[in-house]
Amino acid sequence: MIVDFFVEKINFIGQPQKNMVKITINAKSTEGTVRQIQEVIGGTIKERWGEYTLCVDSKIAQGNIRFITFDWGVNLLEYDITFFDDVVLEMDTSKFNPIHFTYCLKGYCNHRFGYQKESDIKTLEQFQSVIITSKDGGYNYGYFPKNEKLEINVIQISRKNFLKKRLNNVDELTKRLYEVFLDTDHKNTFRYFGTYNLKIADKISALRKVKTTGMIRIMQIEGMIYQILSMHILQHDRASKNKKLQTTLLQKELNIIRNIAKMILKDVSKNYSLDMLCMESGLSQAKLQEGFKLLYTRTVTEYIRHVRLEEARDYIRTTDMNISQIVYSIGFNSRSYFSKIFKSKYSISPSDFKESTISKVSA
């Protein structure tokens, strides 16, 4: 491995030339990649049930990088770290060249292929879904800014193993992504930068909060990785069919809307109104509605109704509360209205759903 601290003449997304820490990666695996990063930034690697975490507190970086390798051709690589210098990862894809499904939960980073000019560098912004793979023998360059808190989720697909174990219906993918998965000889590059997707953000946040331990933890994480991967693919599918939603909202406004949605989730019983949420967010009704439609495919009112019904269904499953108690605990005033919209959403009345739940427990 080559490690070089130097002044590299790279135009860092329109910024002046500056000192950068360069890490050259030529590993054969995700584990090898992290260990080569460790040689430069320091830290120690801890392992538990196949989950590895590099913990770092040095002059170059603070935070951690974790990775898990599964036998179906998938690796999870997560950054939760702040670099104190601008860092460039020069990744030689001769020995290890997966498809990268990348999502930036916090901060931003940048990418270009080795054959591209600096002007071809693209920015992976917060809440953006990105799919990247290089050709065999090529190079990927990842640029990480200094003093920026980074939370980046990367799902890496080793195509031959994945196709063998999991992807029997690969022809159901979009034509372009289909070609990427079947390119097991790694002859082509591919780079897709999608739109903002907060559903992926919520799923990745849940992945990071898994509290179980041991084998159950790994199995739970594995299932969530499959869900996140499917969400990346679904977004690409929609974009390929020109279903990409246009928006005038700024990234910071999308972040505010996400926080409003999380606030509603924490207390679904509260009597929310558009005026109140506009006051809370500082956004106009038009922007609030546009943001909810973009990120949650629902109006504000539809979103509130949806999370209340989900909460009601959980109460019916897990508590001894009667239907009337549940109705008022989630913020509805009319049991008949609740029953009507519950049946419309789940194709079963609340009472029948409760009976079926009780029957399953008894059995």
Side-chain angles (χ1 to χ4, degrees):
M1 188 198 80
I2 303 170
V3 177
D4 191 11
F5 297 82
F6 72 120
V7 179
E8 183 170 298
K9 295 182 179 180
I10 293 179
N11 187 339
F12 195 77
I13 310 302
Q15 296 178 6
Q17 296 170 4
K18 56 182 74 177
N19 294 336
M20 301 186 79
V21 174
K22 179 181 176 183
I23 308 172
T24 300
I25 305 295
N26 56 14
K28 298 179 181 179
S29 64
T30 302
E31 179 178 355
T33 297
V34 175
R35 292 193 182 278
Q36 289 184 333
I37 293 173
Q38 178 194 19
E39 290 184 29
V40 180
I41 68 175
T44 57
I45 294 179
K46 301 176 181 178
E47 184 270 338
R48 191 168 181 84
W49 286 95
E51 181 177 356
Y52 295 79
T53 305
L54 168 62
C55 301
V56 185
D57 188 0
S58 69
K59 293 181 179 180
I60 301 176
Q62 184 178 60
N64 61 72
I65 302 173
R66 75 161 172 167
F67 64 94
I68 306 173
T69 298
F70 299 97
D71 63 2
W72 45 287
V74 169
N75 305 302
L76 171 68
L77 176 63
E78 283 198 320
Y79 296 86
D80 187 355
I81 198 165
T82 302
F83 293 108
F84 303 129
D85 290 294
D86 290 316
V87 172
V88 56
L89 259 61
E90 181 187 65
M91 294 165 277
D92 181 349
T93 61
S94 299
K95 298 175 182 176
F96 184 54
N97 186 19
I99 307 174
H100 301 266
F101 291 82
T102 305
Y103 189 88
C104 201
L105 195 62
K106 185 174 289 187
Y108 72 95
C109 59
N110 307 293
H111 172 270
R112 74 177 172 92
F113 292 117
Y115 64 85
Q116 292 179 315
K117 299 176 182 177
E118 281 75 27
S119 59
D120 293 317
I121 290 175
K122 293 198 70 171
T123 300
L124 166 55
E125 298 178 356
Q126 186 181 24
F127 305 138
Q128 190 174 21
S129 167
V130 171
I131 307 171
I132 294 172
T133 190
S134 187
K135 61 184 177 181
D136 194 22
Y139 284 83
N140 282 317
Y141 288 86
Y143 300 93
F144 301 97
K146 69 177 181 180
N147 300 325
E148 183 79 19
K149 180 69 165 65
L150 301 174
E151 293 183 12
I152 301 172
N153 175 282
V154 186
I155 298 174
Q156 299 175 330
I157 303 290
S158 298
R159 279 164 275 195
K160 288 183 179 178
N161 290 339
F162 189 76
L163 288 170
K164 186 186 300 182
K165 295 227 174 186
R166 293 283 172 150
L167 207 55
N168 297 322
N169 295 319
V170 67
D171 56 326
E172 294 180 4
L173 296 170
T174 61
K175 184 176 184 298
R176 188 67 188 94
L177 206 52
Y178 171 85
E179 292 169 353
V180 173
F181 270 92
L182 290 189
D183 182 19
T184 53
D185 293 327
H186 307 164
K187 294 180 179 179
N188 301 297
T189 60
F190 177 81
R191 187 166 72 168
Y192 161 75
F193 278 65
T195 54
Y196 299 118
N197 188 322
L198 263 70
K199 289 184 178 179
I200 297 180
D202 291 339
K203 185 60 66 175
I204 291 173
S205 295
L207 171 66
R208 286 168 169 257
K209 293 175 183 176
V210 172
K211 299 297 184 185
T212 50
T213 59
M215 185 56 66
I216 294 174
R217 173 182 174 84
I218 298 301
M219 291 173 67
Q220 190 173 356
I221 289 173
E222 182 176 6
M224 296 177 80
I225 288 171
Y226 215 113
Q227 289 179 298
I228 294 166
L229 177 60
S230 68
M231 293 167 80
H232 278 288
I233 293 172
L234 180 60
Q235 172 152 325
H236 179 269
D237 178 63
R238 286 175 175 166
S240 69
K241 295 175 181 175
N242 296 319
K243 293 183 179 179
K244 180 179 176 181
L245 294 175
Q246 302 298 324
T247 181
T248 59
L249 294 171
L250 302 174
Q251 182 179 327
K252 65 179 182 180
E253 292 171 331
L254 292 170
N255 211 353
I256 289 170
I257 289 164
R258 181 178 182 234
N259 289 333
I260 290 294
K262 290 168 75 174
M263 180 189 76
I264 294 169
L265 268 176
K266 285 182 180 178
D267 186 1
V268 300
S269 65
K270 201 167 183 178
N271 186 23
Y272 297 103
S273 69
L274 271 176
D275 287 340
M276 172 197 149
L277 294 175
C278 288
M279 287 277 290
E280 181 75 26
S281 64
L283 300 176
S284 67
Q285 286 195 17
K287 285 193 171 185
L288 205 60
Q289 295 285 24
E290 181 184 351
F292 269 83
K293 286 178 182 177
L294 174 70
L295 302 175
Y296 301 103
T297 63
R298 294 178 172 90
T299 65
V300 175
T301 301
E302 288 169 345
Y303 178 83
I304 293 169
R305 186 167 61 235
H306 166 73
V307 297
R308 282 176 171 173
L309 289 173
E310 289 287 287
E311 184 96 329
R313 189 168 62 163
D314 287 343
Y315 280 145
I316 293 172
R317 281 174 175 160
T318 60
T319 73
D320 294 328
M321 295 167 65
N322 62 43
I323 301 300
S324 295
Q325 289 172 321
I326 291 171
V327 168
Y328 295 115
S329 70
I330 62 171
F332 285 124
N333 296 318
S334 169
R335 174 168 173 166
S336 61
Y337 173 70
F338 166 74
S339 298
K340 178 182 176 181
I341 61 174
F342 188 98
K343 187 171 184 178
S344 175
K345 184 174 179 64
Y346 301 116
S347 300
I348 188 173
S349 71
S351 299
D352 288 343
F353 181 72
K354 187 174 182 67
E355 285 297 321
S356 69
T357 302
I358 293 171
S359 297
K360 287 177 183 177
V361 172
S362 300

